[in-house]
C-alpha cells in the first residue's frame, strides 16, 4: 500500500459468520468471509473460504481494493504436523513439491535445503507434504493467466528446527481479484488424481528414471487393492494374500514356459559340453556348432531367465505403495499392528527367508551338479533377504511370502521333471 507491504497475518479481520461454521458429512458447502480495512489508506482486503464437508478441497477467492497493482504472497506454513508413531521417518519425508510448467514435478526434502530458495514459475501447483498428508495450492484458470502462481519461496524456519517456511506468489488482476484451490488432506491417489494437473504426483514414487514405468504399475496395483477391499469386504491383509496368489496364477504360464526351457537346456547340456571340448581351440567353428545346436534342439540359455524378472517391477512398485499409501496406514492384520510398518515380532521376514531357502533347496536337490557358488547362494540369499526385509513394511513381507508359498508346488513339480530328464540321454533334434 503506497510502496509498502501489508502483512495480513497481523491485522484484525471482520468475520462473517461470527459464530463460525459447524459442518457434517452430507451438508451443503458453506463459506466463511473475512474483511480488513486499512485505518488510514483507501485499501481494503477481503477473502472467503468455501468448505465442502465431503472433500478436502477449499475454494479461496478474494479481492484487494484500492490498488493499481499488487502481488499476493500466500503462506503455506512449515509443513504438515508429525502424527506418525515413527516420527523420525515422518520427519525425514517432509518436503515441498512444485509442478513447474516447463520442468514438471520437482520435490525437495526439507533436510536438503541449506538456504533460501526461489522456485521460479509459472507453477501448476505448489505443495508441502509428509509421509501421508499434503497441503497444496492450485490456481484456477488457464495456464499463463496473470493469476497463475508466479513461484514459491522457501527458507529454513528460524524458530522450528528441521522445518521450512513456504509461501507462493500470485499476481492480482486489474481489479485486484484472486482465486485458487487449497487441498489439505491425505495422499489418497484417487482424490489427488481427481484434483487434476498431475496432483497425484505430489509424492513422486521411486527414482526419476523409473517413474514412467512404476507410475502405471502403481496405479493398477492401487486399483486392484481398493477394488478387492471394497468389493469383497475383506481387510487389506487378506487382500494382499489374495493378490499374491493371483499374481502367481497370472504368471503361471510364463513361469511354466521358462521352466520348460530350463529343462530343455538341461537335457542339451551334455551336447554343449561336448562341442565346447571338441572345438575349444577353434572359436569360429565353436560358434557355428553352437548356433546349429540352438536351431536343432531349440536351446536358448536366456529363455528361462526373462519370465523370472517380470514379478520384480511389481515388487518394487509395492515397496513404494506401502511407503506412502494412506489406505494402508494403521491397518492391522493378525499380530501386525500396521501393515505399512515393519513386523514388530520379525515373524514375516524370518518366514520369508525360510520360504526362499526351501524353494532353492527343492530346486537344487535334483540338479546333477551343484557348484560351491550355488550352495553359498542357497544359504546366503535367504539370510540377506531377511536382513533387507526386516525393516520393510509388513504388508510387503506378507505379499512376498504368499507369492513364494504359491510358487512352491510349481517348483516341486519342475524338480521332479528335472530328475526324469537326468535319466534320459540328449533329446532328438527339434523338428523344423
Amino acid at each position: 500500500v503506497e510502496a509498502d507491504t501489508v502483512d495480513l497475518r497481523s491485522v484484525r479481520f471482520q468475520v462473517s459468520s461470527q459464530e463460525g461454521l459447524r459442518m457434517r458429512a452430507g451438508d451443503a458447502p458453506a463459506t466463511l468471509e473475512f474483511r480488513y480495512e486499512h485505518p488510514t489508506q483507501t485499501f481494503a482486503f477481503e477473502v472467503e473460504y468455501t468448505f465442502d464437508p465431503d472433500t478436502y478441497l477449499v475454494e479461496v477467492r478474494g479481492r484487494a481494493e484500492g490498488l493499481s497493482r499488487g502481488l499476493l504472497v500466500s503462506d503455506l506454513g512449515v509443513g504438515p504436523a508429525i502424527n506418525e508413531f515413527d516420527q523420525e521417518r515422518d520427519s525425514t519425508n517432509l518436503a515441498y513439491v512444485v509442478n513447474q510448467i516447463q520442468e514438471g514435478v520437482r520435490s525437495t526434502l526439507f533436510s536438503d535445503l541449506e538456504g533460501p530458495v526461489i522456485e521460479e514459475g509459472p507453477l501448476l501447483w505448489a505443495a508441502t507434504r509428509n509421509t501421508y498428508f499434503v497441503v497444496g495450492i492450485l490456481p484456477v484458470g488457464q495456464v499463463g493467466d496473470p493469476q497463475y502462481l508466479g513461484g514459491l519461496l522457501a527458507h529454513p524456519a528460524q524458530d522450528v528446527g528441521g522445518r521450512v517456511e513456504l509461501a507462493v506468489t500470485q499476481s492480482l488482476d486489474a481489479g485486484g481479484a484472486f482465486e485458487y484451490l487449497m487441498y489439505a488432506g491425505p495422499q489418497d491417489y484417487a482424490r489427488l488424481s481427481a484434483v487434476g494437473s498431475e496432483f497425484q504426483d505430489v509424492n513422486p514414487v521411486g527414482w526419476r528414471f523409473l517413474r514412467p514405468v512404476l507410475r502405471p504399475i502403481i496405479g493398477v496395483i492401487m486399483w486392484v487393492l481398493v477394488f478387492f477391499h471394497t468389493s469383497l469386504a475383506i481387510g487389506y491383509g487378506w487382500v494382499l494374500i489374495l493378490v499374491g496368489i493371483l499374481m502367481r496364477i497370472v504368471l503361471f504360464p510364463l513361469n511354466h514356459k521358462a521352466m520348460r526351457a530350463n529343462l530343455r537346456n538341461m537335457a542339451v547340456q551334455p551336447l554343449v559340453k561336448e562341442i565346447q571340448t571338441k572345438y575349444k581351440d577353434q572359436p569360429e567353428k565353436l560358434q557355428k556348432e553352437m548356433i546349429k545346436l540352438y536351431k536343432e534342439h531349440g536351446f536358448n540359455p536366456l529363455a528361462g531367465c526373462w519370465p523370472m524378472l517380470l514379478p520384480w517391477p511389481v515388487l518394487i512398485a509395492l515397496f513404494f505403495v506401502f511407503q506412502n499409501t494412506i489406505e494402508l496406514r494403521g491397518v492391522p492384520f493378525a499380530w501386525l499392528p500396521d501393515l505399512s510398518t515393519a513386523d514388530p515380532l520379525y515373524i514375516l521376514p524370518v518366514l520369508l527367508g525360510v520360504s526362499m531357502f526351501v524353494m532353492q533347496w527343492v530346486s537344487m536337490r535334483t540338479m546333477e551338479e551343484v557348484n560351491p557358488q550355488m550352495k553359498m547362494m542357497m544359504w546366503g540369499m535367504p539370510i540377506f533377504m531377511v536382513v533387507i526385509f526386516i525393516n520393510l513394511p509388513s504388508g510387503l513381507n506378507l505379499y512376498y511370502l504368499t507369492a513364494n508359498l504359491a510358487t512352491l508346488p510349481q517348483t516341486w513339480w519342475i524338480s521332479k521333471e528335472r530328475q526324469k530328464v537326468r535319466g534320459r540321454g540328449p533329446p532328438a533334434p527339434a523338428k523344423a
Side-chain angles (χ1 to χ4, degrees):
V1 179
E2 294 188 352
D4 196 4
T5 299
V6 177
D7 187 350
L8 298 173
R9 295 173 298 184
S10 60
V11 302
R12 183 179 294 274
F13 283 82
Q14 293 178 338
V15 186
S16 176
S17 65
Q18 294 185 359
E19 63 271 16
L21 296 179
R22 289 185 178 273
M23 309 181 73
R24 296 175 180 173
D27 288 352
T31 300
L32 274 178
E33 299 177 357
F34 296 79
R35 181 174 176 82
Y36 163 74
E37 295 184 2
H38 197 282
T40 60
Q41 305 294 333
T42 57
F43 169 74
F45 185 89
E46 60 183 22
V47 59
E48 60 182 39
Y49 301 88
T50 300
F51 299 89
D52 185 339
D54 294 325
T55 74
Y56 295 95
L57 279 173
V58 182
E59 297 179 8
V60 184
R61 61 179 61 86
R63 181 181 304 276
E65 301 173 1
L67 294 181
S68 58
R69 61 184 178 87
L71 182 71
L72 180 68
V73 182
S74 298
D75 196 348
L76 258 180
V78 292
I82 302 299
N83 292 309
E84 305 307 311
F85 178 77
D86 188 348
Q87 295 190 3
E88 182 178 355
R89 175 191 169 207
D90 208 22
S91 298
T92 302
N93 287 327
L94 281 169
Y96 72 81
V97 195
V98 295
N99 189 356
Q100 214 268 354
I101 290 178
Q102 285 80 26
E103 299 180 8
V105 178
R106 184 168 61 255
S107 177
T108 303
L109 293 174
F110 282 9
S111 57
D112 292 339
L113 196 70
E114 298 180 353
V117 171
I118 298 177
E119 301 286 354
E120 298 288 348
L123 304 177
L124 292 170
W125 47 261
T128 175
R129 62 167 174 84
N130 57 13
T131 305
Y132 295 109
F133 297 93
V134 58
V135 177
I137 289 180
L138 305 95
V140 176
Q142 299 298 318
V143 176
D145 286 352
Q147 285 191 303
Y148 241 71
L149 302 183
L152 178 138
L153 314 174
H155 61 88
Q158 298 180 352
D159 301 329
V160 188
R163 294 285 183 147
V164 173
E165 293 184 0
L166 301 165
V168 294
T169 63
Q170 186 177 20
S171 296
L172 302 178
D173 67 13
F178 64 91
E179 185 177 6
Y180 60 81
L181 292 176
M182 180 174 66
Y183 180 94
Q187 294 181 41
D188 181 296
Y189 184 79
R191 291 181 183 274
L192 298 183
S193 299
V195 172
S197 299
E198 300 177 318
F199 197 54
Q200 70 273 15
D201 290 335
V202 70
N203 199 342
V205 293
W207 307 277
R208 182 179 292 272
F209 69 95
L210 277 180
R211 285 172 194 164
V213 177
L214 290 178
R215 174 51 75 185
I217 297 175
I218 289 176
V220 171
I221 289 174
M222 285 307 307
W223 182 87
V224 170
L225 293 179
V226 174
F227 174 78
F228 283 140
H229 173 67
T230 55
S231 300
L232 303 179
I234 57 177
Y236 277 108
W238 291 110
V239 168
L240 291 171
I241 292 175
L242 178 61
V243 170
I245 295 173
L246 290 178
M247 182 62 67
R248 288 305 175 184
I249 293 175
V250 170
L251 295 176
F252 178 85
L254 289 175
N255 287 334
H256 194 70
K257 184 177 180 180
M259 290 179 178
R260 284 284 190 185
N262 282 331
L263 287 176
R264 188 162 54 248
N265 294 345
M266 176 184 170
V268 177
Q269 281 304 310
L271 296 178
V272 174
K273 291 181 179 179
E274 181 181 335
I275 293 173
Q276 290 174 338
T277 303
K278 186 176 181 179
Y279 301 105
K280 63 179 180 180
D281 297 325
Q282 300 174 263
E284 293 184 3
K285 183 66 174 176
L286 173 63
Q287 184 178 6
K288 290 181 180 179
E289 290 297 322
M290 290 297 292
I291 293 176
K292 182 180 178 181
L293 183 68
Y294 297 162
K295 293 180 178 180
E296 290 182 350
H297 294 278
F299 170 64
N300 184 352
L302 299 179
C305 298
W306 68 268
M308 304 298 182
L309 300 177
L310 290 178
W312 279 98
V314 176
L315 186 64
I316 294 173
L318 277 171
F319 169 78
F320 291 107
V321 165
F322 280 100
Q323 292 296 314
N324 303 100
T325 301
I326 190 72
E327 287 86 351
L328 300 172
R329 172 180 177 261
V331 175
F333 179 72
W335 71 91
L336 304 169
D338 188 346
L339 287 173
S340 66
T341 61
D343 183 346
L345 302 180
Y346 311 120
I347 295 175
L348 284 179
V350 171
L351 290 178
L352 178 61
V354 171
S355 69
M356 292 194 67
F357 176 82
V358 172
M359 290 176 62
Q360 294 183 79
W361 177 79
V362 169
S363 180
M364 292 182 186
R365 61 191 289 269
T366 54
M367 289 184 178
E368 188 173 356
E369 295 181 9
V370 180
N371 58 46
Q373 289 81 7
M374 294 182 68
K375 288 183 177 179
M376 184 178 298
M377 183 71 70
M378 183 178 70
W379 289 97
M381 182 57 73
I383 296 175
F384 175 75
M385 293 299 288
V386 170
V387 173
I388 294 295
F389 274 76
I390 204 167
N391 291 316
L392 295 184
S394 53
L396 186 63
N397 280 263
L398 181 62
Y399 165 81
Y400 201 11
L401 173 62
T402 302
N404 280 357
L405 295 178
T407 308
L408 267 176
Q410 195 175 26
T411 306
W412 184 270
W413 175 85
I414 203 68
S415 70
K416 292 293 186 181
E417 292 296 311
R418 187 185 293 116
Q419 199 168 19
K420 294 177 183 178
V421 170
R422 286 174 56 184
R424 306 169 189 161
K431 294 181 179 180

